[in-house]
Amino acid sequence: MAPHNFVVAFGPSDSYFIAAKTSRRKKNVPDKFSSSLASSLSNPITYASLGESGRYFARGTLPGSSQTPHQCYYIKKYTSLLKHLEGREGYVCFSSGKRCSWFNHEGEDYEWACYNLKKDQEGWLNRKVKERGNKFRPILGAKDTTVLLHSDGRISMYSCDEILSNTLRRVRKERLTIRFLGLSPTRPNWFFIQFDDGSVCWNTSKEIANVLRVCAINHGFTTREAETLQIKHKGLRIESPPPAYSRSSRDL
């Protein structure tokens, strides 16, 4: 049986949104995001991302339907990104400023796009495409932080915080499969991981870690010890599918 969803989205000003099974918790999120979630998405919430200037993206199911996927978003004049979202499934990951990524995965078909990357960051991404192919999920975080989750389980990292990079190296060494990786758009060392076996881990503020720990305990999620993955706190999880074809754009 597939594990239950545990979704965590970090936002600016230490805001966050957490969806564990059927429960939801949030702090300092935009009012538009809260009202959109309440009116447009039923549980389970399968993905969420918070950006600057009130931007957000979330996926769940249509109200009154347990089977029909649905998404809600506010992307504020990102016309190129909007073309990916209209009439299609997909996932948006917000980074600092106007940087963001979009990805989707259906069977063996992978699609992705990154917007407004810095020159060095874009150059690294293009080199990774040449070296390892274009089947991956591009996850962006604070500043230039970039993580590629390849379809074969490999992980590529660029400009990652020491705690995050040490954790991902251990994940790679132990051949754990990441189901979801959520990074903060403003805090380089904040992250949340859910693995395919349903276990979770994170590194964040003490306040948010306490909320995550309570959610994990209340809903029966297994947490991985801090020492095991070189993380300050115990852990947690969320879901998103892999992406793929190669495309990078500097202006949105």
Side-chain angles (χ1 to χ4, degrees):
M1 183 175 67
H4 292 283
N5 295 301
F6 200 138
V7 174
V8 178
F10 302 109
S13 303
D14 296 353
S15 59
Y16 63 82
F17 170 72
I18 300 171
K21 291 187 179 179
T22 58
S23 69
R24 303 180 185 184
R25 300 194 183 198
K26 61 183 183 295
K27 180 180 180 181
N28 297 334
V29 300
D31 292 339
K32 186 176 291 188
F33 176 60
S34 297
S35 60
S36 184
L37 280 176
S39 61
S40 303
L41 293 183
S42 293
N43 294 320
I45 301 299
T46 57
Y47 184 87
S49 180
L50 298 172
E52 298 179 1
S53 301
R55 299 182 184 94
Y56 64 82
F57 179 91
R59 285 188 62 82
T61 57
L62 278 171
S65 169
S66 60
Q67 300 295 327
T68 307
H70 190 56
Q71 59 194 23
C72 65
Y73 51 83
Y74 175 65
I75 56 177
K76 201 173 184 179
K77 299 180 181 180
Y78 279 26
T79 53
S80 297
L81 176 59
L82 186 62
K83 293 178 181 178
H84 286 295
L85 297 176
E86 291 181 334
R88 306 177 64 184
E89 293 186 8
Y91 300 79
V92 176
C93 176
F94 292 105
S95 178
S96 303
K98 291 185 177 181
R99 280 173 283 184
C100 67
S101 62
W102 170 88
F103 52 88
N104 191 27
H105 173 234
E106 297 179 14
E108 295 299 317
D109 297 326
Y110 288 78
E111 297 178 276
W112 58 264
C114 292
Y115 298 95
N116 299 315
L117 301 185
K118 290 185 177 180
K119 185 176 180 180
D120 290 347
Q121 187 181 17
E122 185 174 8
W124 173 85
L125 177 63
N126 291 333
R127 288 194 297 274
K128 288 302 174 183
V129 170
K130 292 180 181 179
E131 294 171 3
R132 298 186 172 183
N134 57 13
K135 294 186 177 183
F136 53 75
R137 286 172 280 174
I139 310 299
L140 306 182
K143 299 181 179 178
D144 299 344
T145 300
T146 310
V147 178
L148 306 182
L149 301 177
H150 298 271
S151 60
D152 60 3
R154 290 181 295 180
I155 302 172
S156 298
M157 295 173 281
Y158 177 80
S159 192
C160 289
D161 172 82
E162 183 179 5
I163 297 174
L164 174 60
S165 59
N166 286 344
T167 300
L168 292 177
R169 289 189 185 99
R170 189 63 180 266
V171 167
R172 187 167 53 192
K173 181 178 180 180
E174 296 188 8
R175 298 186 178 180
L176 299 171
T177 301
I178 294 176
R179 188 182 187 195
F180 171 88
L181 170 63
L183 303 178
S184 167
T186 56
R187 301 274 190 174
N189 62 338
W190 285 19
F191 60 86
F192 172 89
I193 303 174
Q194 186 180 22
F195 300 96
D196 261 359
D197 63 3
S199 62
V200 294
C201 72
W202 63 77
N203 186 71
T204 182
S205 68
K206 185 176 181 180
E207 175 192 352
I208 299 177
N210 288 336
V211 176
L212 293 176
R213 190 172 295 110
V214 169
C215 289
I217 292 172
N218 289 346
H219 296 287
F221 286 89
T222 301
T223 61
R224 292 181 175 271
E225 293 294 336
E227 303 79 35
T228 304
L229 294 176
Q230 302 180 34
I231 307 173
K232 290 181 180 177
H233 305 288
K234 293 185 180 179
L236 225 118
R237 154 176 197 171
I238 160 178
E239 169 170 25
S240 58
Y245 88 79
S246 164
R247 171 179 159 180
S248 182
S249 174
R250 288 189 57 78
D251 58 305
L252 199 53

